[in-house]
Amino acid sequence: MPLIASRIASANSATSDFPLNNLPFGVISTAGSPPRCAVAIGDFALDLAALEADGRLDAGAPVFAADRLNPFMALGPAAWARVREQLTTLLAEGAETPIDDALVPLDAVTHHLPFAVSEYTDFYASKMHASNVGTMFRGPENALPPNWLHIPIGYNGRASSVVVSGTDIHRPLGQRKPPDAAAPTFGPSLRMDIELELGAVVGVASPWGAPITVEEADAMIFGYVLLNDWSSRDIQAWEYVPLGPFQGKAFGTTISPWVVTRAALEPFRAPLPPREVPELPYLHQAAPGLYDIHLEVAMEPPGADRETIISRTNYREMYYSSAQQLAHHAVGGCGMRVGDLLGSGTISGPTRGEHGSLLEISWGGKEPFALDTGETRSFIEDGDRLTLRGHCEGEGYRIGFGEATGRILPAVANRWA
Amino acid sequence: MPLIASRIASANSATSDFPLNNLPFGVISTAGSPPRCAVAIGDFALDLAALEADGRLDAGAPVFAADRLNPFMALGPAAWARVREQLTTLLAEGAETPIDDALVPLDAVTHHLPFAVSEYTDFYASKMHASNVGTMFRGPENALPPNWLHIPIGYNGRASSVVVSGTDIHRPLGQRKPPDAAAPTFGPSLRMDIELELGAVVGVASPWGAPITVEEADAMIFGYVLLNDWSSRDIQAWEYVPLGPFQGKAFGTTISPWVVTRAALEPFRAPLPPREVPELPYLHQAAPGLYDIHLEVAMEPPGADRETIISRTNYREMYYSSAQQLAHHAVGGCGMRVGDLLGSGTISGPTRGEHGSLLEISWGGKEPFALDTGETRSFIEDGDRLTLRGHCEGEGYRIGFGEATGRILPAVANRWA
C-alpha cells in the first residue's frame, strides 16, 4: 500500500510518524482546555471532540469528549472502521470540510494516558531474551524453562503504575540482597533497567468463563503502543522465587501516547517463527501473527547534548504473538476487559546490539557499555533518559509509534533510614 | 466490649453473624429493584439507599444508591465513622426512627460483588502453608524460600475474575503436564483446589510514588472479606516457573458478600508472632497486626444432604498482617487505589485439620480424606460445593463474615478437542 496523500502537508513526508495511513489515537489537552481524544496527523493532533461536537465526525455515539479512549474502544470494531474511514476522508488531499479549528500543533499539546488501563499483564515471549535472562538468573543449563516453548508465559502486573510517555519515575526503594550478603537491606534499587516491549490494547471484552480462539483474540485488539516495563533487577532477583516479579516491576511502566491501530499495522504482518515443539491447537495462529516493526532504544545521560542508540531490534523477533497471549490469557475462563494492556515481553534480537534490556546489553552488569558522550553504563543512573521508538517502513511512508520516554529520578526520601 | 442491643431481635442472638456491633457493608438487590448498598443486621439487610433518600442517613454525599461501595469508601475514614455512628443510633434498642421500609429479609436478597475490584493482589503469608506447599513443590530442603521470613511475598492476581459468594465456577481448561509426561496436554484441570484466605479491602488511595508506613497502611483498610482463591494445582505447577501463578489462579476468586469493617474487628486484634529474623524497619508494626478470627471450610459433594467441615483454623496463624502487606506493596512507589483487594494468603494451622487448602489436607493428593457422606476426596470433583465461614467470638455476640461459597461445575466445551 502506498502513502495516502493528506491535505496536511507534514503528513506526506516519508519520515513522519503520522501519515494519513496511520491515524493513531490518543488523549491530549492544551492550556486551559480539558483532556479529549485526538488522532495524530503529520505535525498536528486533530481534536476529535471538536469534530464530533458539530457532526463532522460520528462514531455512532458521543465518545470523544472524554479523557480516555475506553468509551470509543467499547463501541467495537465496526465503529473503529467507520471512524477511520471518516477521518481518512476528512484528511485526504483535496478534502474541503473545514478542520483548521481542530488542529493543534503537536508541540503545543500535553499527552495523557490514552486509555484507562483495566488490568496490565506482561509476557515473556522473546526466545532470545528468555534465554539470556535465564542464563544469568539460573545458569545456562536452565536458561529456557521447560514450559517456555509450550506456553506464552505471563504474569499479572500493576495497572495503577502505568504512565504516559514523558512521566519521570523515581528509583524505587525496596529490599535487595547481594548473593554474598547474609541478609537483605532496604534502600534505593541499584540495578535499574528497562524492558523494550510492545503493548497490545484490548478493545473488545470477552465474558468471564468463555475461552476464545487466537483468531477471536486478534480481532479483540484495538491497537498497540510502545511499552517500557521499567525493572529493578536487584529487587526482582531477591523477591521473584517462587511467585514471580512484584515490587521489582511495580513502580512504573511507560507507554507511548498514541495507540497505533491494528488496521494501520495490517500491511506489515509478519510470520511467527516455526514452532520447535508440537503446538497445542488452542495456540495455533494461521495468519501471520507478528508485525515488522523496527524498534530502537536511546539513552541520554543528564546534561548530555546527545543521545546514544543502545539497541536496534524488531518485533518480528518474538516467538508468541499478542493474539496467542490473549487467547492463552482467556482460555481458563478469565474475562478480558476493554482497556486491558498486554505487554509483549522484552524484545531482543540475537546480538548484543539488538537486546531489549540493559541486563542483556551489559550482561548482568559485567560488561559496561559506552555512550557517545564517553560515559559508560551497566544500569540506569539518576537523571538518565531512556526513550523507545518504533515504526513500520512502508512504500514512501512509515507507520510510527512516536516515542515512550522517561527519566529515572533519585529515590524519594527513605522514611525508615 | 459486650453486645450492643438492637431493635432488630434477631441481631441480639449470640449466634447471629450480624449483631449491631458488626454492621458489615454490601450490595444487594431484590426482585424488580436495582442493586444498592446495604448493611446486614440480624436476619435482615438494611437498605442504605432508602435511608439516604430522605435524610435518615447522611454520609456527607449521596453514595448509597450505587451498585458498589467504592463511592462510599472513597469518602474516607471520617465518613465511615459518621455512618457507623448514625446506623448504631438508628438500629439501637429503643430507637424510634421508622426503618421498616428499609428492612429486607436476608433470604430475599440477591448479593452482588460489594465493590468494584480495582486490582487484586494475593500474598503468601502463613508460614505453615508456605512450608507445606514448598515441601510438596520443591522438596523439604527448599520448603521455605530464603526470602520468606524477610518479605511478605505477593503477586498480582486478576481482578476481573473476582466474583461474589454463590457464583458457580467452571473447572478451567489449560495446559498441564504430569512430571513423567514428555509434553503437556490441554484439557480440564484435574487438581482443583481452594485457598482459605482473608481479603483486605483498600478504602483510601495512596499516590503513585509515595511509600507509606505500616500504620498508614492499616488506616487505609476499610474492611475485610472471606476470600477463596480457587486454584488449579496442575495448571499452576506447569506454568509457575519462573514468573509465578497465572492461569492456575485466573478463573475465579470468590469473596463473601459483606465487608466487615476494620472498626467492627478492632476489639479482636491479635499479636503477630515473634519475628524469626531481624525485621526491616519499613515492615515493623507496633500494634497487634492480626485478628482473632475463627475460620472453617465446609465441603459438600453433589446430591449430599450434609456438608463436612474439612478444616478449622484462625487468622491468628499468619506471619504477616494485611497492613504489612499493603505497606510492602506501596514501598516502591506503586499507587494504591480505592477498591484494591489484598488476599492474605492461604491460612493454615499446624495440623492436617487446620490446613487451608486441599493440597495440604490430602498432602498433594497422596492421602485422600473422608467426607461424612462416606465419599473420599483428594481434590475437588464436579458439583462439589466449598464454603468458607468466619467469625470473631465476643462476649455474648459474634462478628461474623457470613460465608463465601461456590460450586465447581464441569469444564466448558473444549473448542479444540
Side-chain angles (χ1 to χ4, degrees), chain A residues 119 158 160 216 335 340 415, chain B residues 119 158 160 216 335 340 415:
Chain A
E119 299 194 58
R158 181 76 192 177
S160 68
E216 290 164 348
D340 281 341
R415 299 171 67 181
Chain B
E119 299 195 56
R158 181 74 191 180
S160 68
E216 289 164 348
D340 280 340
R415 300 172 66 180

Side-chain angles (χ1 to χ4, degrees), chain A residues 124 127-145 359 363 366:
Chain A
Y124 191 55
K127 191 179 169 195
M128 190 51 59
H129 171 73
S131 302
N132 287 336
V133 172
T135 298
M136 282 182 271
F137 275 51
R138 291 175 293 277
E141 67 283 3
N142 297 309
L144 210 59
L359 183 71
W363 206 249
K366 294 183 187 143

Side-chain angles (χ1 to χ4, degrees), chain A residues 156-240:
Chain A
N156 297 293
R158 181 76 192 177
S160 68
S161 291
V162 178
V163 297
V164 72
S165 178
T167 308
D168 293 334
I169 294 176
H170 289 279
R171 182 180 295 270
L173 299 168
Q175 285 194 38
R176 57 282 197 283
K177 189 183 88 63
D180 54 350
T185 52
F186 179 82
S189 167
L190 302 174
R191 290 162 72 93
M192 287 291 295
D193 201 354
I194 57 157
E195 293 197 334
L196 165 64
E197 305 193 24
L198 201 67
V201 184
V202 175
V204 176
S206 69
W208 182 69
I212 54 177
T213 66
V214 173
E215 286 65 37
E216 290 164 348
D218 193 67
M220 287 165 59
I221 296 172
F222 174 72
Y224 293 84
V225 290
L226 299 171
L227 185 150
N228 180 357
D229 190 49
W230 301 92
S231 299
S232 160
R233 299 302 179 191
D234 43 355
I235 293 175
Q236 181 185 356
W238 171 233
E239 76 178 354
Y240 92 106

Side-chain angles (χ1 to χ4, degrees), chain A residues 210-298:
Chain A
I212 54 177
T213 66
V214 173
E215 286 65 37
E216 290 164 348
D218 193 67
M220 287 165 59
I221 296 172
F222 174 72
Y224 293 84
V225 290
L226 299 171
L227 185 150
N228 180 357
D229 190 49
W230 301 92
S231 299
S232 160
R233 299 302 179 191
D234 43 355
I235 293 175
Q236 181 185 356
W238 171 233
E239 76 178 354
Y240 92 106
V241 175
L243 299 188
F246 185 50
Q247 290 303 291
K249 303 276 194 169
F251 53 92
T253 301
T254 299
I255 63 172
S256 52
W258 298 108
V259 183
V260 176
T261 64
R262 188 163 46 83
L265 293 171
E266 208 54 48
F268 303 95
R269 290 240 177 213
L272 287 158
R275 303 292 91 174
E276 298 176 27
V277 297
E279 182 178 57
L280 287 165
Y282 84 99
L283 287 174
H284 181 66
Q285 183 165 23
L290 301 175
Y291 297 101
D292 184 3
I293 305 173
H294 302 271
L295 298 163
E296 67 178 35
V297 181

